[in-house]
Amino acid sequence: MFYELSDEQKEFQKKVREIYEREVSPLVEEYESKETFPVQLFRILGAEHLLCLRCPKEYGGPGLDKISECISMEELNRICAGIGSGIMVQGGLATDPLLHYGSEDLKQKYLPSAAQGEKIGAFALTEPDAGSDASGIRTTAIRQGNGYRLNGMKTFITNGTICDFVTVAAYTNPERRGTGINLFVVNREDPGFSVIKKLEKLGNYSSDTAELAFDDCYVPKERMIGEREGGGLGQLEETLKSGRLTYGARSTGVGQVTFDTILSYIKGTQRHGQPLARSQAIRFMMAEMAMSLEAMRYMTYRGAWLFDRGLATMKDASIVKLFCTESLQRIVQKAMAIQKNIGLMMENPIQRFLRDARLFKIPEGTSEIQHLVIARELGL
Ligand SMILES: Cc1cc2nc3c(=O)[nH]c(=O)nc-3n(C[C@H](O)[C@H](O)[C@H](O)COP(=O)(O)OP(=O)(O)OC[C@H]3O[C@@H](n4cnc5c(N)ncnc54)[C@H](O)[C@@H]3O)c2cc1C
C-alpha cells in the first residue's frame, strides 16, 4: 500500500489549484451574490481540459482517472461549492450515462462539446413526488413512430436553466415499476421542453437549480441511452456510484477551506487578553477537525483508487458519501462555534461554508439513503 499522491498527481493538483485560483476565485463573490452560475467558466475550464475529466481523448476529454477527478473536485470546492456543483454535473451525471451506455453516434454528438464546454449538460431524475425512490418517478416516454414522447416534471435540477441538453429518466414501460425506466437526451430546443422556474436555495448560491417540464416532448429513438427498453435504473446506479465518491472529494475541499480559514482566525485572535490558540477547548476542536479531514481524504482517495480498478462497490461509494458529508457537518459546526457571532455575519466565509455543506447531505442519495444502501449490502 502506498498512501501518497504520485509526483504526476501532485503536479496535476498544483496545476488545477493554480487554474481555479486564477479563473474561479475572482468570480465567487459576484456570482454567489447574483445567485447565478458563471456560464463563461464552461468554455474556460473546457479549454483547460477540466470539465469531463474521465471522458477519453477520442471523445474530446483528457481521459484521466477518478483519482484525478477527485483531486480536481477537491480543489474546486475549496474555492466554491456552488460552482463545484455545476461542473460536477457536467462531468458526472449529465455525461457519464452517455459515456458508458450511449451509442457511438450519441457519444460523438454530445461528449466532445460537453468536454470542451461548448454545451452545458444537466441530469433530471428527481420529481416533485419522487427523489430517493427513483422507481417512483412518473415521467413517461411512450413510443410513437420513430421516437418517444416525454411527459412529466422534474425538480431540483442542477444547471437546469442554463443547460443545452439534459439526460432525463423516464418510464418507457410504466407497468414495469423500476425496471421499465430509460434515460434519454433532450435538447433545450426540443419542442415541449421548458424551464418552469429557477429555484432559490439555502446554499450553493452560484449553482443553477431549476424545475423542468416535458410536455409531449418528442425525441427520436436514437436519443435513448442504451439499446433496449428498460435497464435505465442500472445505468443510474453505476452513475451514482461515481458521483457519491465525488461527494467525498467535494466535502474534503469544503472541509479543508473551513479548517484553513478557522486556523488563521485562531492564530490571529486574542480573547480575554489571551491568544485564542491557548484555549484547550479550541485546541481540542481543531484536533478533531484535523482528524476528520485526514479520514475523509483517505477514504475518498481509497474509493477513487478502487473505482479506477473496477473494484468499488456501491457500499464503498455510499460509505464515502455518508462519512464525508456527515464529517463535514461537524467541521463547519465547530468552525461556527469557534467564531461565534463573527461566523454568522454574511461578510464572513464560514456562514457560506456551513450553508453549502448542509446541501451536500441531499443530492445523489440523502444520508438516510446511504445508510439503507450500506445495510442492504451487508445483507440486512
Ligand atoms: C443542491 C441540490 C442539487 C440537486 N441536483 C439534482 C440534479 O441535478 N438532478 C436531479 O435529478 N436531482 C437533483 N437533486 C435532488 C436530490 O437528488 C433529491 O432531493 C434527493 O434524492 C432526495 O429526494 P427528495 O428531495 O424527493 O426527498 P424524498 O425522497 O422525498 O425524501 C425526504 C426525506 O425522507 C428521507 N427518506 C426517503 N426515503 C427514505 C427511506 N426509505 N428510509 C428513510 N428515510 C427516507 C430522505 O432521506 C429525506 O430526508 C438535487 C438536490 C439538491 C439539494
Side-chain angles (χ1 to χ4, degrees):
M1 276 193 275
F2 193 61
Y3 274 103
E4 273 287 303
L5 293 180
S6 67
D7 287 347
E8 200 184 335
Q9 287 162 339
K10 283 184 190 155
E11 199 47 47
F12 178 72
Q13 184 182 48
K14 184 165 168 275
K15 183 186 104 175
V16 297
R17 186 172 291 174
E18 281 167 9
I19 293 171
Y20 291 142
E21 291 286 358
R22 187 181 71 232
E23 304 293 351
V24 183
S25 285
L27 305 173
V28 175
E29 211 177 306
E30 181 186 347
Y31 285 86
E32 279 285 303
S33 66
K34 288 205 288 203
E35 297 190 28
T36 54
F37 190 94
V39 285
Q40 67 274 26
L41 262 185
F42 278 101
R43 283 192 184 258
I44 294 169
L45 298 183
E48 300 282 3
H49 310 292
L50 288 179
L51 290 176
C52 310
L53 269 91
R54 286 173 292 112
C55 181
K57 289 189 174 145
E58 67 214 86
Y59 301 119
L64 298 176
D65 57 8
K66 188 73 196 167
I67 291 188
S68 308
E69 187 184 33
C70 285
I71 291 172
S72 174
M73 275 292 141
E74 183 183 335
E75 293 303 323
L76 179 57
N77 282 272
R78 220 168 47 81
I79 291 173
C80 184
I83 292 173
S85 291
I87 300 299
M88 175 190 177
V89 167
Q90 180 86 349
L93 292 171
T95 51
D96 259 354
L98 280 162
L99 180 59
H100 297 296
Y101 309 103
S103 63
E104 188 57 31
D105 185 49
L106 277 180
K107 287 184 197 179
Q108 295 290 354
K109 270 200 182 111
Y110 289 92
L111 293 177
S113 50
Q116 281 143 31
E118 289 156 8
K119 290 228 158 80
I120 301 172
F123 170 79
L125 168 67
T126 309
E127 301 184 358
D129 293 324
S132 300
D133 177 15
S135 65
I137 60 168
R138 292 198 194 157
T139 299
T140 52
I142 302 303
R143 185 76 194 241
Q144 195 180 63
N146 269 336
Y148 290 85
R149 222 166 257 291
L150 271 69
N151 279 288
M153 278 187 59
K154 298 287 178 182
T155 191
F156 307 131
I157 309 306
T158 305
N159 295 344
T161 79
I162 57 174
C163 66
D164 298 294
F165 70 91
V166 51
T167 302
V168 186
Y171 268 105
T172 43
N173 187 347
E175 311 286 292
R176 286 171 48 213
R177 195 179 152 87
T179 55
I181 294 176
N182 282 87
L183 299 178
F184 292 85
V185 188
V186 172
N187 293 331
R188 187 185 189 86
E189 61 276 11
D190 285 333
F193 169 74
S194 59
V195 176
I196 300 181
K197 65 173 177 195
K198 186 173 162 182
L199 300 169
E200 292 175 356
K201 311 180 292 301
L202 170 80
N204 289 8
Y205 283 173
S206 53
S207 84
D208 176 83
T209 310
E211 210 167 277
L212 309 177
F214 302 86
D215 185 10
D216 265 344
C217 177
Y218 184 81
V219 295
K221 67 175 185 343
E222 293 73 25
R223 281 205 249 136
M224 184 172 89
I225 300 177
E227 284 167 12
R228 57 175 181 89
E229 289 188 3
L233 215 53
Q235 297 173 357
L236 273 174
E237 288 207 346
E238 278 306 304
T239 304
L240 288 174
K241 191 193 282 180
S242 170
R244 287 171 184 172
L245 295 171
T246 308
Y247 263 94
R250 298 189 67 194
S251 302
T252 308
V254 176
Q256 187 66 56
V257 68
T258 306
F259 181 85
D260 295 343
T261 307
I262 213 71
L263 186 66
S264 73
Y265 167 79
I266 290 168
K267 286 184 173 168
T269 304
Q270 300 248 338
R271 219 174 259 165
H272 312 303
Q274 289 280 335
L276 198 51
R278 299 283 294 276
S279 153
Q280 192 182 59
I282 301 283
R283 293 163 78 95
F284 274 36
M285 280 198 270
M286 291 307 288
E288 294 263 339
M289 286 161 81
M291 185 175 69
S292 292
L293 267 175
E294 286 280 309
M296 288 157 76
R297 194 167 277 117
Y298 284 142
M299 220 178 235
T300 297
Y301 287 94
R302 175 185 175 272
W305 184 91
L306 289 172
F307 186 90
D308 284 334
R309 284 152 185 79
L311 299 173
T313 62
M314 210 56 180
K315 179 170 128 245
D316 295 320
S318 287
I319 285 176
V320 168
K321 193 193 178 220
L322 181 59
F323 181 82
C324 294
T325 55
E326 291 296 337
S327 300
L328 176 62
Q329 309 307 312
R330 292 188 284 278
I331 289 176
V332 292
Q333 290 294 349
K334 284 194 172 76
M336 192 54 98
I338 292 170
Q339 282 208 322
K340 301 207 171 102
N341 301 0
I342 298 166
L344 294 168
M345 298 301 117
M346 293 307 274
E347 71 220 33
N348 188 308
I350 295 295
Q351 52 76 28
R352 170 160 68 87
F353 304 150
L354 183 123
R355 289 184 292 99
D356 286 344
R358 180 60 185 83
L359 268 64
F360 281 17
K361 283 161 63 89
I362 301 169
E364 310 222 12
T366 62
S367 292
E368 290 75 22
I369 296 305
Q370 308 308 333
H371 280 94
L372 290 178
V373 172
I374 296 163
R376 187 187 66 206
E377 298 226 355
L378 291 173
L380 301 174

